[in-house]
């Protein structure tokens, strides 16, 4: 296993620091929706309201065909391209593709980091969230859950656990830009349960449309990415799992044996009652993939000289250092020219 | 009043057609959220669930501080810039900023049209929609409405009115790319009522952050834009109202007298029982602005030699011709170098 040293990370940071001050040329950019299924509703009450002053009363009859389970994707293709495949950025629960855009404290996010290194990037909003839209409640989806501000602070290894939001207690050396924590809470959206089938189908539809890709997936998105890859391993050139919050189908780990995989967790994991178990489970799953002949490189960031990362490491102050580690690994897989 | 001829439109189309095949250089790009307010919830039940295989049961306590009413904005700044101010694109009801991105049939949308002509563009998702996120129902917001597939077909002057979705009857000469109507329905999201105060406050916060701007607003967004402009006329360099679905505060029309305004409606308006009234109301409001000394140029697209436009004219096959008309008007206001 090759180790990433602080010198390599510093070199990448220097490149990033210089590159980000320069204009960037795009070959093309755009967005689209993929997937979805049509559901017919009947027996629902009609609603009528006046939309705004100067309008005319509007009668909304919800009975009929509803498109649900579709997914939004935005892409930017740089010129020249250096990535050997499209690079997808899949976010986690209660969040949208904004995860990968500008950080809460205004620095370039991972979308821009990889775009500036010549990757065609695809940022999605998982089904039910953001621009993908959500289905009617409770007729099609069950009522969603909403996170109050204290939840990510206490659960994402920013604060010192339960009760720490009230006192704003921060884990020692934590890299999350806590002075912009409120800005981060503006990104949080509702999460529907029981939608996994729609989510998985839409990710497959996305990869079928774009073609075999490098997928970088975070948290819930990591668990989903493993499951998508088990359905269609042919559509993955590489899979980077950033703090996956779950695993794939344990009995089918062998289906992942031909996909190069990188598993990354940040700091404070062992002392956290949930994340320590989640990582142990992920490592067990990775071991099953390796037992089947696959390759999963397991990175503990503090062990690589990158301490202080919260669960939202693509927003942490050292987000570029973590991205550089991922970039270096992708280059060593021969996926970057 | 200067009239836009077919020749001028054709000239712009030629420029657009050539430019769109070329790479584009960005000075910078990114996204952020603005606005919002904090609401404290209490007495709500705690929910617990297993997020995914390999995870650990998750306990969500919704009691605490919730950020609501914030708004998402994405920006792209071209190099070189030719616009004299940032250009904002505000969408309509049941939609998100996707309105302005790639059209349902895969052509560049208005965001790209104006970006390629040197405007720094800002695309937003109105409060409660898309990446802006929605508040808890029913504790903070009232339950939303969802549009079935037939609603825009029959209401947005694509089909021949009530009942036309079942037969897919299309208004003669209609420019909407109906073969991709299903793709359009994937963009549709829920709409919450009673959120106008949050929406207006967030648009003001956006303009305060970015500075005085050119605002292009569609449908519900047009009515809201008039209301925002009445609150803060100093933050508008020009206002382009694309089929506004309502008006501002009638008694305060004079507040808009110093903002150059363009009012655009498409085809089939007079024969439509709702849109004919809506346009009549908008023209009445425009007359009040003019009576106070303001300038509102009123464009009936068929009367300018651009027939067949639905309510979604930024997605219609001739969307570039309509955009060119807007661009020409902005240039004549001295806002384009």
């Amino acid at each position: 296993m090759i180790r990433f040293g602080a010198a390599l990370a510093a070199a990448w940071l220097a490149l990033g620091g210089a590159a980000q001050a320069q204009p960037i040329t795009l070959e093309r950019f755009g967005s689209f929706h993929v997937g979805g299924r049509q559901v017919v509703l009947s027996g629902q009450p009609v609603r009528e309201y006046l939309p705004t002053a100067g309008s005319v009363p509007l009668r909304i009859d919800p009975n009929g065909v509803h498109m649900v389970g579709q997914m939004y994707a935005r892409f930017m293709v740089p010129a020249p391209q250096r990535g050997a495949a499209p690079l997808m950025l899949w976010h986690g629960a209660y969040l949208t593709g904004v995860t990968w855009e500008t950080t809460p404290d205004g620095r370039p996010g991972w979308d821009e980091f990889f775009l500036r290194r010549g990757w065609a990037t695809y940022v999605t909003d998982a089904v039910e969230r953001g621009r993908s839209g959500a289905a009617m409640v409770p007729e099609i989806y069950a009522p969603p859950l909403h996170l109050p501000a204290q939840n990510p602070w206490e659960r994402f290894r920013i604060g010192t656990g339960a009760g720490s939001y009230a006192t704003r207690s921060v884990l020692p050396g934590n890299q999350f830009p806590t002075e912009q924590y409120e800005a981060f809470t503006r990104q949080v959206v509702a999460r529907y349960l029981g939608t996994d089938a729609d989510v998985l189908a839409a990710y497959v539809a996305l990869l079928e449309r774009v073609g075999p890709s490098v997928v970088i997936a975070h948290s819930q998105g990591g668990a989903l990415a493993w499951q998508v890859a088990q359905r269609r391993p042919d559509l993955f050139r590489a899979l980077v799992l950033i703090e996956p919050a779950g695993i794939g189908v344990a009995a089918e780990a062998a289906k992942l044996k031909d996909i190069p995989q990188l598993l990354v967790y940040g700091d404070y994991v062992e002392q956290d009652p949930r994340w320590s178990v989640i990582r142990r489970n992920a490592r067990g799953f990775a071991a099953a993939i390796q037992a089947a002949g696959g390759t999963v490189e397991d990175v503990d960031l503090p062990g690589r000289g990158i301490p202080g990362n919260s669960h939202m490491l693509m927003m942490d102050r050292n987000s570029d250092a973590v991205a550089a580690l991922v970039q270096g690994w992708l280059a060593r897989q021969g996926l970057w020219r």
Side-chain angles (χ1 to χ4, degrees), chain A residues 12 15-16 20 82 113-119 327 336:
Chain A
W12 276 110
L15 171 60
Q20 278 151 19
R82 301 188 65 183
F113 181 97
F114 288 100
L115 186 76
R116 285 192 176 277
R117 280 152 188 84
W119 295 91
Q327 166 69 19
W336 194 66

Side-chain angles (χ1 to χ4, degrees), chain A residues 1 28 32 43 56 90 98 106 116 125 143 147 161 167 175 184 187 200 226 236 266 274 289 297 300 329 332 337:
Chain A
M1 188 167 76
R28 59 195 172 87
F32 55 85
V56 175
W90 296 0
V98 175
R116 285 192 176 277
D125 290 353
L147 290 190
T167 56
Q175 294 278 1
F184 169 63
Q187 301 186 13
L200 293 169
W226 259 331
F236 285 73
R274 289 189 80 249
I289 296 167
E297 185 162 337
D300 173 66
W329 181 82
R332 283 199 304 285
R337 302 176 277 250

Side-chain angles (χ1 to χ4, degrees), chain A residues 207-218:
Chain A
L207 290 167
E208 285 176 339
R209 173 170 171 150
V210 176
S213 298
V214 170
V215 174
I216 299 179
H218 178 238

Side-chain angles (χ1 to χ4, degrees), chain A residues 102-109 177 180:
Chain A
T102 311
T103 66
D105 58 337
R107 291 170 292 114
Q180 290 298 333

Side-chain angles (χ1 to χ4, degrees), chain A residues 2-31:
Chain A
I2 298 167
R3 295 187 64 87
F4 306 86
L8 178 61
W12 276 110
L13 282 175
L15 171 60
Q20 278 151 19
Q22 300 298 317
I24 181 165
T25 300
L26 303 183
E27 180 66 34
R28 59 195 172 87
F29 69 97
S31 70

Side-chain angles (χ1 to χ4, degrees), chain A residues 242-319:
Chain A
I242 304 295
E243 299 221 343
I247 62 173
V249 180
E252 299 177 4
K255 290 185 176 175
L256 302 170
K257 71 181 174 52
D258 295 327
I259 305 170
Q261 288 158 76
L262 179 67
L263 182 63
V264 179
Y265 285 91
D267 210 341
Y268 322 104
V269 170
E270 284 311 315
Q271 69 196 69
D272 185 288
R274 289 189 80 249
W275 288 108
S276 57
V277 176
I278 291 169
R279 181 165 72 174
R280 198 172 314 139
N281 292 342
R283 286 177 164 172
F285 188 62
I289 296 167
Q290 289 172 311
T295 305
V296 184
E297 185 162 337
D298 181 1
V299 169
D300 173 66
L301 287 175
R304 304 289 183 105
I306 302 178
N309 282 105
S310 75
H311 183 51
M312 301 308 296
L313 39 70
M314 73 295 290
M315 300 176 186
D316 286 343
R317 294 185 211 285
N318 63 348
S319 57

